Amino acid sequence: MIAMLSIQESLTVLVVDDQAVPRLLARAALESLGHRVLESADPEGAVRLFMQSRPDLILLDVEMPGHDGYWVARQIRAAEQGGWTPILFLSGRNGDEEVWRGIEAGGDDFLSKPITTTLLSAKLRAMQRLLVMRAKLLERSEELRAANAQLRELSTHDALTGLCNRRAIDERLHQEIAACRREGQPLSLALLDIDHFKRFNDSAGHVAGDACLKQVSQLLTDACLRPRDLAGRYGGEEFALILPLTPRSGAMTYARALLRTLARAAIPHPDSPVAPNVTLSGGLTTCVPDEATTAEGLLLRADDALYQAKAKGRNRFFSYEMQLDTEEQLHQNSRL
Ligand SMILES: [Mg+2]
């Protein structure tokens, strides 16, 4: 619609005058210039017609019985909220005072009757220029708004996987520490690493590597079932999961389910000593945050647990607090 406006040559002009002859003259002049004309003979009718037809421009008589042209202009300005329709006043009087009142009431120019086609043509062209400039400005501000939204997205999301980036994870972790502390609820954090991802890339190439990262990311996104769960890419083949309201045992159950889902997805790994398919190692830490809890502390513990999961043979999660991995826990449970 904005793009159309910028090339619009023919305007729809609303002519408001209580007298038939000036209306007729204005219509003849406007039509000879190729514009469409709407007419109104009274102030209230003019406001109604404006609301219904939204003309591009208004020629507005000042002296009318009942409400005058200034009243009409104020009604229109109040009604168009954020929009702008040029208003040209027409008056038999042309003192400085009249012009001042017209502009004050929201008019854009003031012409004295009788108007000539040449003058009208020139004034309309000036207004058209303003309309085009305004349309361009609106277009620019829309572009700016879109660019800003994209920048915001880029500053918090990883371009390859669409997951939250490290910055967004850190920010959310701080928020959840504060929230879980207030609520007295457990907060779990997992740091995850795709096993032998370097060997994947070396063997299958970076394009396949990127595809693998995307697949794993999608899987992590799908695993965030509750509204406050968050999956993010921490960097390279490292991911993080923030799981608020999740106790140690719940986090371990969650981790095992995640490993099962990944196994079922069966993403082939061309060169892994662990399994024929892509596997993950993860470090878990869980606490009910208190005054001493920091994001850095949680990340250090999760990282420590991740190191242990790798040392114990990968394809498993290790819980820092339980000093146990998902495999050991499974065997313990089956012995019970
Ligand atoms: Mg009049």
Side-chain angles (χ1 to χ4, degrees):
M1 184 181 146
I2 286 166
M4 272 179 62
L5 197 61
S6 62
I7 51 161
Q8 189 176 4
E9 293 291 325
S10 168
L11 302 173
T12 300
V13 181
L14 171 60
V15 176
V16 185
D17 202 306
D18 58 309
Q19 289 175 307
V21 173
R23 276 208 312 277
L24 210 69
L25 289 174
R27 172 184 280 277
L30 287 164
E31 285 180 347
S32 78
L33 296 168
H35 302 301
R36 288 179 302 275
V37 178
L38 301 169
E39 285 183 40
S40 178
D42 68 284
E44 285 92 351
V47 176
R48 266 200 308 278
L49 194 55
F50 168 79
M51 298 297 288
Q52 280 164 17
S53 347
R54 293 295 168 139
D56 302 309
L57 190 140
I58 303 163
L59 281 187
L60 183 52
D61 183 25
V62 173
E63 295 89 17
M64 291 185 284
H67 296 298
D68 59 15
Y70 304 131
W71 178 86
V72 174
R74 280 192 296 269
Q75 304 301 308
I76 285 171
R77 286 292 178 248
E80 62 184 352
Q81 295 237 343
W84 173 66
T85 311
I87 297 176
L88 303 183
F89 278 114
L90 295 177
S91 175
R93 290 177 282 172
N94 61 356
D96 290 352
E97 181 77 4
E98 292 297 313
V99 175
W100 184 83
R101 281 192 68 189
I103 302 301
E104 191 67 14
D108 298 292
D109 208 342
F110 198 100
L111 315 179
S112 20
K113 291 187 200 176
I115 43 163
T116 64
T117 305
T118 311
L119 183 67
L120 188 60
S121 168
K123 294 290 184 182
L124 288 184
R125 282 189 60 184
M127 288 300 151
Q128 265 175 309
R129 237 176 252 161
L130 287 177
L131 276 172
V132 168
M133 269 199 288
R134 181 173 187 276
K136 280 185 184 157
L137 270 175
L138 285 175
E139 214 171 350
R140 285 293 136 72
S141 48
E142 178 52 34
E143 282 167 12
L144 265 178
R145 199 200 54 73
N148 271 328
Q150 205 188 351
L151 263 180
R152 259 200 311 279
E153 167 81 14
L154 281 175
S155 69
T156 54
H157 286 76
D158 170 55
L160 176 68
T161 63
L163 291 184
C164 284
N165 61 19
R166 184 174 187 143
R167 195 179 125 175
I169 298 164
D170 287 344
E171 194 180 313
R172 180 71 83 81
L173 188 56
H174 280 101
Q175 287 167 2
E176 286 297 353
I177 288 171
C180 288
R181 185 165 60 207
R182 273 197 310 275
E183 297 159 8
Q185 293 284 350
L187 169 66
S188 288
L189 169 72
L191 283 182
L192 289 60
D193 213 314
I194 298 178
D195 294 325
H196 298 294
F197 188 66
K198 188 181 179 305
R199 289 167 74 151
F200 187 111
N201 270 336
D202 289 347
S203 175
H206 284 273
V207 174
D210 283 354
C212 171
L213 287 173
K214 284 190 202 173
Q215 269 179 289
V216 171
S217 299
Q218 187 57 51
L219 205 130
L220 294 178
T221 303
D222 295 343
C224 291
L225 295 171
R226 299 168 308 169
R228 277 166 67 179
D229 293 349
L230 182 80
R233 186 177 179 200
Y234 215 62
E237 71 275 25
E238 246 185 48
F239 300 89
L241 281 167
I242 300 176
L243 306 169
L245 320 181
T246 309
R248 293 170 188 181
S249 56
M252 287 293 262
T253 308
Y254 183 100
R256 274 206 309 275
L258 188 60
L259 292 174
R260 272 201 305 276
T261 310
L262 180 62
R264 270 201 300 275
I267 307 163
H269 193 308
D271 185 27
S272 169
V274 180
N277 294 325
V278 168
T279 55
L280 277 175
S281 297
L284 277 170
T285 183
T286 303
C287 69
V288 178
D290 58 23
E291 296 304 319
T293 308
T294 63
E296 295 69 29
L298 289 184
L299 286 164
L300 274 174
R301 275 187 271 170
D303 198 47
D304 189 276
L306 172 59
Y307 178 83
Q308 304 249 33
K310 286 183 188 174
K312 283 171 171 290
R314 304 177 197 251
N315 193 19
R316 69 195 64 211
F317 278 68
F318 186 87
S319 163
Y320 183 89
E321 285 75 21
M322 296 166 94
Q323 287 293 305
L324 201 66
D325 71 34
T326 37
E327 293 294 305
E328 294 163 338
Q329 198 202 25
L330 199 61
H331 295 140
Q332 260 188 12
N333 287 350
S334 63
R335 277 203 301 274
L336 289 175

